[in-house]
Amino acid sequence: MYYDDGSKLGGHFLAEFGGGHHLNPKHTSYSFCNSLLKAVLLFAMITLTGLVFFRAPESPFQLPRSIYSSLHFSSSSVYNSRSCSSADSVSKISEKLWLKQVLERSAMPNRTVIITTLNEAWIEQDSIFDLFLESFTIGNQTNPLLRHLVIIALDPKAFDRCSALQLNCYFLGTEGVNFSNEAHFMTPDYLKMMWRRVDFLRSVLELGYNFVFTDADVMWLRNPFLHFFTDDTDFQIACDHFGGNPDDLNNAPNGGFNYVKSNNRTIEFYKFWYKSREVFPGKHDQEVLNNIKHNPYLKQIGMKIKFLDTAFFGGFCQPSKDLNLVTTMHANCCAGLNNKIHDLTILLEDWQEYLSLPDYIREERPPSWSVPQKCGPASFGSHSPRKKNFGGRR
Ligand SMILES: *[C@@H]1O[C@H](CO)[C@@H](O)[C@H](O)[C@H]1NC(C)=O
Ligand SMILES: *[C@@H]1O[C@H](CO)[C@@H](O)[C@H](O)[C@H]1NC(C)=O
Ligand SMILES: *[C@@H]1O[C@H](CO)[C@@H](O)[C@H](O)[C@H]1NC(C)=O
Ligand SMILES: *[C@@H]1O[C@H](CO)[C@@H](O)[C@H](O)[C@H]1NC(C)=O
C-alpha cells in the first residue's frame, strides 16, 4: 500500500530532480550512463520515500529532501568522474529490483500486466499518448485497467511525463542509442529499439508475469480480456490481416498488440525470437516473427499460438466494421505521426458518438467508422513523409 504513496512522492520529486543541473539533459551532455543513474537513483528515492512514509507519516517531506540532496551530490560526483563502470553493475541489480517492484505494484492478482513503450516523440501535447490514455477513459469499462498499465519510458522526458501522470513507470535505457530522437522507420536505431523491446519482454516473462503488450497507438475501447482465448494458448497476437481461422499461421500478425502467458515455452520462444534477429539481419521483430512462426522449433517446444480476429482487435489495415464488437483499434497501415493522430482523433469521436446513441439504434443499426482517412491500406505507401514514426507499426 505504501508503495503507492511512495511512487507519487517519487513522481513529485522527479520534477525537481529533472530540473537539477547535473541530471538535466538540456544542461549537460547527457549520456546513457547518466540517464541510467537517474533511473536508478529515482528507484532508490521511491524506495526510501516509501520507508519514510512508513516510519514518519506526519512529516513526509523532511527526510526525502535530505536524501534527495545527498543523492544529488553523489550522482554529480559520479558524473564528473565520468566513470560509468561501477555505477553500471550497481544499476544492473537496481534495475532488476526496480522492475520487480513496478510489476508487483501494477499486476492484477493473477500476475498480469499491460505494457507499453513510450518515447519523447509520442508525448507531445495532443499526441498519441494522450489519445491512448483517453481511450482508456472513454472505453467501456477500460478505465480500471489503467492501474495495471506499465509505461516503459525510453528516454528521460517520456519518464518525466509518465511520472507526472502518476502512472506506473519504468526506465529502459539502451546503450549507444538516443531514443529521444525521431527514429525513422527501419533505421538502425529503430531496429535496436524494437529488438531491445523483445529482449525486455522476455525478462518480464522470466519474472513470472503474463502481459498484454500494446503499442500506444492502439485504442482500448473495450476490455480485451473478455475476448482473449482462455484455453491453453501461450501467445495470442493481433493481425494486420486476419483470414478467418485463428490457428492459421498464414495470418499476418502485428507485433503491436499481443497477450503472452509466462511459462517455459514462452520464455524459450522469446529467446528464440530474439536470437533469430541474427539469422535475418536488418529485419524488424515483426518480420522475423512472420518468418519464424513456421519454424518446427516452435512445435518442438509446444508453443501454442493463436491469431486474434480483426473484428475485435482491429486496425486501419483491416478495420473492425462492427462497433458492437470492436475491442481495440490500432493505427497500423499508417505512415506518419500526424496522420495517425488525425485519424485516431476522429476514431475516438466516432466512438463517443456511438456511445451516445440510444441502445436500440446501437443494437439494430450500429454506425461504422469514418476512418481511415489519412491512414489505411490505400494511403499506405503512396505518400510517406516518414516522420516521427518511432515505435509505430505500419
Ligand atoms: C459496456 O459493458 C457492459 C458490461 O459488460 C455492457 O452491459 C454494455 O452493453 C456495454 N456497452 C457497450 C456500448 O458496449
Ligand atoms: C538526444 O536527442 C535529444 C532530442 O533531439 C537531444 O536534445 C539530446 O541532446 C540528444 N542526446 C545525445 C546524447 O545526443
Ligand atoms: C487475469 O485476471 C483478469 C481480470 O480478472 C482476467 O480477465 C484474465 O483472464 C486473467 N488472466 C489469466 C492469465 O488468468
Ligand atoms: C519451468 O520448468 C521448470 C521445471 O520443469 C519448473 O520448475 C518451472 O516452474 C517452470 N517455469 C515456468 C515459468 O513455468
Side-chain angles (χ1 to χ4, degrees), residues 140 222 324 353-367:
N140 192 13
R222 288 192 171 93
N324 287 329
E353 213 161 285
Y354 161 79
L355 287 182
S356 69
L357 293 172
D359 285 353
Y360 74 94
I361 294 190
R362 273 212 305 269
E363 278 155 30
E364 285 163 26
R365 285 177 286 126

Side-chain angles (χ1 to χ4, degrees), residues 22-310:
H22 298 288
L23 289 168
N24 192 332
K26 272 188 200 143
H27 297 277
T28 63
S29 60
Y30 150 71
S31 68
F32 166 71
C33 173
N34 205 344
S35 63
L36 205 61
L37 259 174
K38 180 178 174 179
V40 168
L41 292 174
L42 184 82
F43 165 72
M45 280 197 304
I46 289 167
T47 313
L48 288 170
T49 50
L51 285 173
V52 169
F53 250 105
F54 185 64
R55 286 214 211 122
E58 72 281 1
S59 61
F61 287 95
Q62 244 170 346
L63 237 129
R65 273 192 195 283
S66 63
I67 288 166
Y68 163 71
S69 53
S70 68
L71 285 173
H72 197 253
F73 171 75
S74 66
S75 73
S76 62
S77 56
V78 172
Y79 175 71
N80 289 338
S81 75
R82 292 184 187 273
S83 71
C84 201
S85 56
S86 64
D88 259 1
S89 54
V90 172
S91 66
K92 285 264 153 58
I93 299 163
S94 308
E95 271 181 340
K96 195 99 190 183
L97 272 174
W98 184 18
L99 178 59
K100 272 188 180 165
Q101 214 180 61
V102 173
L103 291 172
E104 195 178 302
R105 185 173 72 216
S106 321
M108 300 170 192
N110 60 18
R111 295 175 77 87
T112 305
V113 291
I114 300 163
I115 295 177
T116 193
T117 50
L118 198 62
N119 81 321
E120 192 179 333
W122 282 43
I123 57 170
E124 284 157 9
Q125 199 68 36
D126 302 320
S127 193
I128 297 278
F129 188 51
D130 291 333
L131 295 168
F132 179 66
L133 294 178
E134 188 188 345
S135 80
F136 279 88
T137 313
I138 64 176
N140 192 13
Q141 305 186 327
T142 44
N143 207 29
L145 294 174
L146 276 176
R147 287 182 44 220
H148 307 295
L149 176 67
V150 180
I151 311 282
I152 308 301
L154 300 172
D155 58 55
K157 280 205 181 133
F159 188 81
D160 285 0
R161 175 93 170 104
C162 175
S163 304
L165 292 168
Q166 303 187 348
L167 298 164
N168 304 308
C169 317
Y170 179 75
F171 184 87
L172 183 72
T174 301
E175 206 149 357
V177 179
N178 186 352
F179 283 156
S180 306
N181 285 335
E182 303 178 13
H184 298 264
F185 189 62
M186 296 306 287
T187 58
D189 275 5
Y190 177 90
L191 288 176
K192 264 191 206 154
M193 179 257 159
M194 289 299 173
W195 285 112
R196 179 82 172 98
R197 199 160 88 173
V198 171
D199 193 41
F200 169 77
L201 292 172
R202 189 256 318 141
S203 70
V204 172
L205 294 173
E206 281 181 347
L207 289 171
Y209 288 90
N210 318 304
F211 63 79
V212 177
F213 177 82
T214 172
D215 276 345
D217 60 347
V218 173
M219 301 294 110
W220 286 53
L221 303 173
R222 288 192 171 93
N223 182 348
F225 289 99
L226 303 175
H227 300 285
F228 286 137
F229 295 99
T230 53
D231 53 11
D232 57 355
T233 305
D234 296 309
F235 178 89
Q236 29 197 308
I237 184 163
C239 294
D240 283 340
H241 294 280
F242 179 73
N245 176 2
D247 294 309
D248 184 359
L249 287 174
N250 291 316
N251 286 307
N254 185 300
F257 189 89
N258 50 54
Y259 175 36
V260 189
K261 286 187 197 140
S262 164
N263 58 42
N264 286 335
R265 295 180 297 280
T266 53
I267 291 166
E268 196 52 40
F269 170 66
Y270 266 77
K271 283 183 187 162
F272 180 66
W273 189 1
Y274 188 63
K275 190 109 183 64
S276 298
R277 79 195 185 286
E278 293 161 9
V279 183
F280 303 97
K283 300 239 184 267
H284 62 71
D285 57 331
Q286 185 174 309
E287 284 176 290
V288 172
L289 173 66
N290 224 358
N291 280 292
I292 65 170
K293 69 187 180 185
H294 296 290
N295 195 296
Y297 183 66
L298 300 191
K299 257 211 176 101
Q300 196 184 314
I301 61 172
M303 263 292 286
K304 295 203 179 60
I305 300 180
K306 276 196 200 294
F307 299 87
L308 295 163
D309 190 339
T310 47

Side-chain angles (χ1 to χ4, degrees), residues 343-376:
D343 279 14
L344 287 178
T345 303
I346 294 171
L347 183 136
L348 291 185
E349 283 164 15
D350 284 352
W351 174 254
Q352 280 186 300
E353 213 161 285
Y354 161 79
L355 287 182
S356 69
L357 293 172
D359 285 353
Y360 74 94
I361 294 190
R362 273 212 305 269
E363 278 155 30
E364 285 163 26
R365 285 177 286 126
S368 199
W369 302 113
S370 48
V371 282
Q373 293 176 6
K374 298 198 170 182
C375 302

